[in-house]
């Protein structure tokens, strides 16, 4: 991506920030007088704030408000479609890239998926991120949309102090050290690196998130998780909260990539249904839906293991468990079976299913990465 001045925010005053947040939270067009009343600001201050936001391209005219006799008051709203945050999700095989407008809605038609290099180093991974981000920038430019930031979701916990990825095995880097700044150093836009499950969990609660708490179970090549408390990912002091993939569900069972035996990830990774079966996920689930063996039996066993993991999370935390990640989209036709399997082993059944489905089953991770950058952007205005 060529370096250029991409600063979306000029020097904003505290009043300007209050005005922008008022319009953003309202999700509707408002007159300047309505904003002044809602924010407790004087009209001259509101006029100045609107001028600043207009200069930054963050507001647009919403039309005239009807009048009972005087001049019709003009309304304004957040120009949500003129800016976009980019979300990139890294897996063991590929990078997926989407774009969301300022309200966190995925922009239709903007999706790029590229394979990651087989012989992988930190340098080649950085180059791949630069390449896919550059391709998305071209797409956005054609639509006259301004990028405001890039969120990168990685299948690893991150050290909260140093930004070091604590587990690079899913990315096939072995024990190589990798830091967040390694992945963002070639990008011309503001960028952040986040745990992929935290991104997926955040996509379930953005933007009205303050009163929502849930456990998010990410089902991809790696099995991860996130704990969302009052709308925010809880990472814990070591950045490893929510690593549900390493709950032991079969003592002494299959070897996991983490080195332990019997982990949920060893039994509920997408590899169990694809690579270990010698077929793609599309092929496997096509057989499973038709009841073709051995796919149906393998899936039944998979659901049993998944149910044990869900039940352990729910019993420990007492909140809903949201199934997300790429694999969750394929599981939609079997969701009733999953819920029934969980309830059958739930020691505290209350008649309400504790397993719930993700809002964004296939693309929740990159969407959440983009939404986390949108949140940063809003807080910076």
């Amino acid at each position: 991506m060529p370096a250029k001045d991409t600063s979306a925010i000029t020097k904003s005053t505290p009043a300007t920030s209050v005005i922008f947040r008022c319009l953003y939270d309202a999700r509707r067009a408002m007159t300047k007088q309505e904003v002044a009343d809602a924010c407790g600001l004087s009209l001259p201050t509101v006029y100045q704030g609107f001028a600043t936001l207009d200069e930054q391209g963050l507001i647009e005219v919403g039309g005239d408000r009807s009048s009972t006799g005087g001049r019709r008051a003009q309304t304004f709203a957040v120009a949500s479609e003129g800016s976009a945050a980019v979300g990139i999700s890294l897996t063991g095989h590929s990078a997926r890239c989407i774009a969301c407008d300022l309200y966190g809605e995925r922009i239709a038609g903007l999706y790029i998926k590229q394979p990651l290099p087989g012989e992988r180093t930190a340098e080649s991974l950085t180059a791949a991120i630069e390449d896919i981000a550059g391709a998305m920038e071209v797409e956005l430019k054609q639509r006259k949309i301004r990028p405001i930031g890039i969120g990168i979701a990685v299948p690893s916990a991150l050290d909260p102090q140093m930004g070091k990825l604590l587990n690079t095995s899913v990315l096939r880097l072995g024990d190589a050290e990798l830091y967040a700044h390694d992945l963002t150093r070639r990008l011309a836009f503001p960028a952040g690196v986040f745990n992929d499950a935290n991104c997926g969990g955040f996509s379930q609660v953005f933007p009205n998130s303050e009163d929502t708490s849930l456990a998010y179970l990410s089902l991809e090549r790696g099995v991860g998780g996130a704990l969302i408390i009052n709308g925010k990912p809880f990472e814990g002091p070591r950045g490893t909260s929510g690593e549900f993939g390493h709950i032991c569900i079969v003592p002494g069972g299959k070897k996991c990539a983490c080195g332990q035996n019997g982990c949920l990830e060893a039994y509920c990774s997408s590899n169990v249904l694809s690579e270990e079966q010698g077929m793609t996920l599309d092929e496997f689930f096509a057989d499973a839906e038709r009841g073709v063996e051995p796919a149906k039996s393998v899936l039944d066993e998979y659901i049993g293991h998944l149910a044990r993991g869900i039940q352990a999370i729910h019993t420990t935390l007492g909140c809903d468990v949201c199934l997300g990640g790429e694999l969750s989209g394929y599981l939609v036709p079997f969701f009733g079976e999953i819920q029934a399997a969980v309830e059958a082993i739930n020691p505290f059944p209350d008649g309400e299913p504790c397993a719930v489905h993700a809002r964004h089953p296939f693309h929740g991770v990159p969407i959440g990465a983009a939404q986390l950058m949108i949140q940063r952007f809003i807080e910076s205005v």
Side-chain angles (χ1 to χ4, degrees):
M1 296 171 67
K4 61 181 181 180
D5 180 12
T6 59
S7 174
I9 299 297
T10 59
K11 183 72 173 178
S12 295
T13 66
T16 303
S17 299
V18 170
I19 293 166
F20 180 77
R21 192 59 197 243
C22 176
L23 286 170
Y24 188 86
D25 290 343
R27 298 291 199 278
R28 63 181 179 86
M30 300 176 70
T31 67
K32 293 177 180 178
Q33 184 64 62
E34 288 172 337
V35 171
D37 293 341
C39 298
L41 299 172
S42 67
L43 266 178
T45 300
V46 170
Y47 272 85
Q48 183 178 357
F50 267 71
T52 301
L53 293 172
D54 183 55
E55 180 184 345
Q56 296 169 1
L58 294 177
I59 58 173
E60 61 188 6
V61 175
D64 292 338
R65 186 65 53 78
S66 59
S67 171
T68 58
R71 182 179 178 182
R72 292 173 181 255
Q74 197 170 53
T75 62
F76 300 85
V78 170
S80 62
E81 298 179 359
S83 302
V86 175
I88 299 173
S89 172
L90 302 181
T91 69
H93 302 285
S94 63
R96 291 175 286 157
C97 185
I98 57 87
C100 291
D101 66 23
L102 277 189
Y103 283 140
E105 298 294 332
R106 182 183 165 199
I107 300 174
L110 292 182
Y111 176 68
I112 302 172
K113 183 176 181 178
Q114 293 182 359
L116 292 175
E119 295 295 325
R120 205 166 303 160
T121 64
E123 183 63 26
S124 66
L125 198 58
T126 300
I129 290 172
E130 179 187 27
D131 183 54
I132 197 168
M136 181 58 77
E137 182 190 5
V138 171
E139 295 286 341
L140 290 172
K141 186 176 181 180
Q142 290 177 349
R143 297 195 186 195
K144 297 181 180 180
I145 299 174
R146 171 186 56 180
I148 60 168
I150 300 171
I152 302 170
V154 296
S156 171
L158 290 97
D159 182 293
Q161 302 299 322
M162 302 296 294
K164 179 182 177 181
L165 275 67
L166 300 179
N167 181 359
T168 57
S169 61
V170 174
L171 288 173
R172 300 183 178 180
L173 292 174
D175 296 326
E177 289 194 346
L178 185 66
Y179 292 83
H181 61 75
D182 293 328
L183 301 177
T184 62
R185 60 186 174 84
R186 293 187 180 184
L187 303 178
F189 300 100
V193 179
F194 313 100
N195 170 262
D196 57 357
N198 283 344
C199 292
F202 190 72
S203 75
Q204 305 308 305
V205 300
F206 181 87
N208 300 317
S209 57
E210 290 80 3
D211 298 327
T212 306
S213 297
L214 56 83
Y216 178 83
L217 181 59
S218 176
L219 303 171
E220 302 211 3
R221 185 174 184 270
V223 175
L227 182 57
I228 307 297
I229 299 178
N230 295 330
K232 296 181 179 180
F234 175 76
E235 298 179 349
R238 295 180 177 83
T240 56
S241 174
E243 287 292 338
F244 303 133
H246 302 292
I247 293 173
C248 181
I249 61 167
V250 182
K254 292 167 62 176
K255 192 80 168 181
C256 179
C258 73
Q260 304 302 311
N261 293 87
C263 292
L264 181 63
E265 180 171 303
Y267 290 89
C268 291
S269 164
S270 61
N271 290 350
V272 173
L273 306 180
S274 58
E275 292 183 6
E276 291 184 15
Q277 306 306 315
M279 61 180 68
T280 67
L281 286 175
D282 288 333
E283 292 168 340
F284 176 85
F285 279 99
D287 282 355
E289 286 195 59
R290 296 196 306 269
V292 176
E293 296 292 354
K296 188 61 175 73
S297 295
V298 170
L299 182 61
D300 288 343
E301 184 178 8
Y302 178 94
I303 289 174
H305 290 131
L306 179 60
R308 282 193 284 276
I310 294 170
Q311 182 270 328
I313 297 167
H314 176 66
T315 301
T316 302
L317 300 175
C319 60
D320 285 344
V321 181
C322 177
L323 302 190
E326 185 177 20
L327 191 54
S328 70
Y330 289 98
L331 291 171
V332 170
F334 308 95
F335 210 71
E337 295 178 40
I338 294 171
Q339 290 177 323
V342 175
E343 289 306 298
I345 57 174
N346 185 357
F348 307 108
D350 58 7
E352 294 293 328
C354 63
V356 298
H357 208 277
R359 291 167 56 191
H360 310 287
F362 285 103
H363 303 299
V365 171
I367 287 173
Q371 290 171 339
L372 281 164
M373 292 306 296
I374 292 169
Q375 184 181 65
R376 286 188 179 184
F377 177 82
I378 293 169
E379 291 171 352
S380 73
V381 175

